[in-house]
Every structure is written in structure tokens, then in C-alpha cells.
Amino acid sequence: MRQILAATRYNFLGFFRDARTVVCFLLSVVVCFLLSGRVLEVTEQYGTTMQAAEPFIWTFGDATAILLVSLLLIFLFSDLPKLSAFTPFYLMRMTKKKWLAAQFLYLVLCTGMYVLFVLVVTVLLCMKDSFIGNLWSETAAILGYSGMGKRLNVPSTVKVMESISPYGCMMQVGLLMLGYSLTLGFLILLGNLLLGRKYGMLLAVGYSLYGFLLDPEVLGKILGMEDYEMYRIRSLVGWISPLNHAVYGMHDFGYDNLPSIGQSLGVFAVFLALCVLLSWRALRKYNFTFLGS
């Protein structure tokens, strides 16, 4: 474990000074600012306040928002696995599996840090109109009891407010977002190990595009389904689309044939386990190339 931690710590050297990291985190601030505008409009219109966790819950309550913020990770993880002039010295002192485990740990820590950063930015952007008590706000009630929440793609429903507290809902939204982001990062690592550099990015873009195209409204129009038949499309897409597994509103709250939060997290766990297994196998034939003096 000391060897794995040492290799992971080395991967973080210069992490916060890297231009790739700086650009990724700055762009995430811009995305959060643009997406949180629809929530602030409601508070300004009705002169109400929000609970501190609600901006994060509502900002990332639809597939488009999660897709936009997760796409930045493709840019951040494009250089996985981390190779440098010191990598041969690590490989001489540890097994390849331990070195790859360090890459996994680095990816998990970076993704967790990124999701936490997005949460903090969202809270700070709306802090002047929010409170910290663990109670749903008047703004949530307005969005839940009217059709405004549905029009704005804000997952504030009476069923949600009756079943869970704001901080509990924030944890679930964060875990779903973390699960999807991890699958994206592990897919980049697997693609680079299997096919070579840059192919991991193409694989991740295809993975994101697959989730984006599986939109229930688009599929319903293509198949010519009536409004009363759309529940079939939503149920199908909710199960087969990884992006919709990350959307809080696309889950079963007691009246839909959709996956539960636990089932979606289980799907992400199975996907990650498969990526780990394939990465172990790909490492046997991976051609290490070291450039520089």
C-alpha cells in the first residue's frame, strides 16, 4: 500500500500548476455559473430564498448539465496512464498491477475532488439567497407544486420533498454524478491501455454521445409515439443509458418503472469493475514508451 500511495502522490506533483488542470477547473466554474442562472431567476422573481444544497441539486438535475460538466474530465484525464521519466524506476520497484492501482487511485481522487469543487462553486454562487437549515425552501415548494419545475427541468417534486431531506438529496445527486464521472475516467484509461494514446478520448466522447442521443423526447418523436406511450421510452432509456442513470429525476420514486438510486450506483459499480478487469488484462500487452532525457 505504501508503494501505491507513493506512486499516486508522484502523479499529483505539479497537478495544480498544470495548465490542463487550471483550464478544466476554470471552465467548470463558467459552466456552473451559466447553469445556475435558471435557479436564481426563480428566487429573484418571487423574492424567496433557497436551502444551501438546492442549487447543486437543481443545477445538475438534467442530463445536459451533467454531460457538460463531465465532458471537461475528458480533457483532464487525456494523459492517463501517467508516464514520466521516473515511471521506469517505479516499475522496477513494484509490480505492474500496483502501478496500475496507483493510476486507479489517482483517477478516483481527482474525480472526487472535481465533483466536490463543483458542489462548492454552486453553493457559493447562490449563497446570498440561501440558508443552511436542512429544510426544503419556499422556492422548492413553488417549483414542486407548480409546473415551473418541470418546464425548467428542475427535479423539485412533492414526492422528493416528502421522502428525503435536502442534504440527503445532495448526497445522492453527488454520488450519481461521481459514478458517471468515474466511468468516464476509467473508460479513458482503458482505451489508452488497449488501443493507444488519444483513443481513450475518442472512446469517452462516444460514450458521452451515446448517452446524449438516448433522449426520451427525441426517441419518442422518431418512433412516432403518443404522449400516453412515452412512459415506455422513459423506462427503457432510464435503464440502458448511463447518462440517465446519473440524472436524479430519472429514478423510481415509487410510481415509475425506473431504476432506484441504489440500482444505478450498482450499475456504475459493475461497469467500473469491468473496466478494472479489462485494464489488468490490457496491461500485460501495454507498450511503455518513455520520451525525454
Side-chain angles (χ1 to χ4, degrees):
M1 195 62 198
R2 287 199 302 270
Q3 291 177 332
I4 294 174
L5 292 176
T8 304
R9 187 166 57 250
Y10 179 77
N11 287 341
F12 274 104
L13 291 179
F15 176 78
F16 295 103
R17 296 191 300 272
D18 191 346
R20 185 187 291 107
T21 304
V22 174
V23 171
C24 178
F25 279 79
L26 286 179
L27 286 178
S28 69
V29 174
V30 175
V31 171
C32 291
F33 175 76
L34 295 176
L35 293 176
S36 60
R38 58 185 177 180
V39 177
L40 292 173
E41 288 178 4
V42 178
T43 59
E44 292 175 359
Q45 180 178 352
Y46 291 95
T48 56
T49 58
M50 297 177 291
Q51 204 276 340
E54 289 174 351
F56 177 73
I57 297 170
W58 298 337
T59 299
F60 299 100
D62 63 343
T64 304
I66 294 176
L67 181 63
L68 286 174
V69 78
S70 61
L71 280 176
L72 298 176
L73 291 174
I74 299 178
F75 179 66
L76 183 63
F77 294 142
S78 60
D79 62 339
L80 289 176
K82 288 281 189 178
L83 297 177
S84 67
F86 288 94
T87 303
F89 296 97
Y90 278 103
L91 292 173
M92 290 173 60
R93 291 165 174 79
M94 66 171 64
T95 63
K96 287 184 178 180
K97 289 186 177 181
K98 291 180 181 178
W99 176 81
L100 187 58
Q103 307 302 311
F104 292 154
L105 182 57
Y106 167 78
L107 198 154
V108 171
L109 292 176
C110 286
T111 307
M113 189 187 311
Y114 178 75
V115 173
L116 182 61
F117 178 79
V118 169
L119 168 63
V120 172
V121 170
T122 309
V123 172
L124 291 178
L125 285 174
C126 304
M127 65 181 299
K128 68 175 184 178
D129 298 315
S130 62
F131 60 92
I132 61 174
N134 196 18
L135 296 171
W136 293 103
S137 66
E138 295 179 355
T139 306
I142 293 172
L143 293 171
Y145 284 97
S146 67
M148 186 181 298
K150 187 176 181 180
R151 291 196 303 270
L152 295 175
N153 290 323
V154 174
S156 176
T157 63
V158 178
K159 191 70 176 180
V160 172
M161 289 188 287
E162 290 177 348
S163 61
I164 192 170
S165 65
Y167 286 127
C169 187
M170 178 194 72
M171 290 294 296
Q172 291 184 348
V173 173
L175 286 174
L176 291 172
M177 190 172 166
L178 178 64
Y180 180 77
S181 301
L182 282 175
T183 58
L184 196 66
F186 271 65
L187 204 59
I188 295 173
L189 177 60
L190 175 61
N192 288 341
L193 288 173
L194 279 175
L195 306 172
R197 293 283 178 170
K198 298 182 181 179
Y199 286 97
M201 292 182 63
L202 296 177
L203 198 61
V205 170
Y207 177 75
S208 301
L209 187 61
Y210 166 75
F212 178 73
L213 293 178
L214 285 179
D215 184 272
E217 301 299 330
V218 175
L219 290 178
K221 291 180 180 179
I222 293 175
L223 298 176
M225 304 190 76
E226 300 294 336
D227 291 340
Y228 68 89
E229 296 177 309
M230 283 299 295
Y231 77 94
R232 298 179 183 177
I233 295 295
R234 293 191 183 93
S235 298
L236 178 63
V237 170
W239 283 99
I240 66 174
S241 172
L243 181 58
N244 279 280
H245 274 291
V247 180
Y248 185 77
M250 289 294 292
H251 288 85
D252 186 10
F253 297 109
Y255 50 85
D256 294 317
N257 187 24
L258 292 169
S260 64
I261 300 294
Q263 288 171 332
S264 290
L265 293 176
V267 169
F268 288 136
V270 171
F271 187 90
L272 291 174
L274 181 62
C275 286
V276 169
L277 179 61
L278 293 176
S279 297
W280 290 137
R281 296 176 63 88
L283 188 62
R284 299 175 183 176
K285 300 180 181 180
Y286 183 68
N287 184 24
F288 287 90
T289 303
F290 305 103
L291 301 177
S293 58

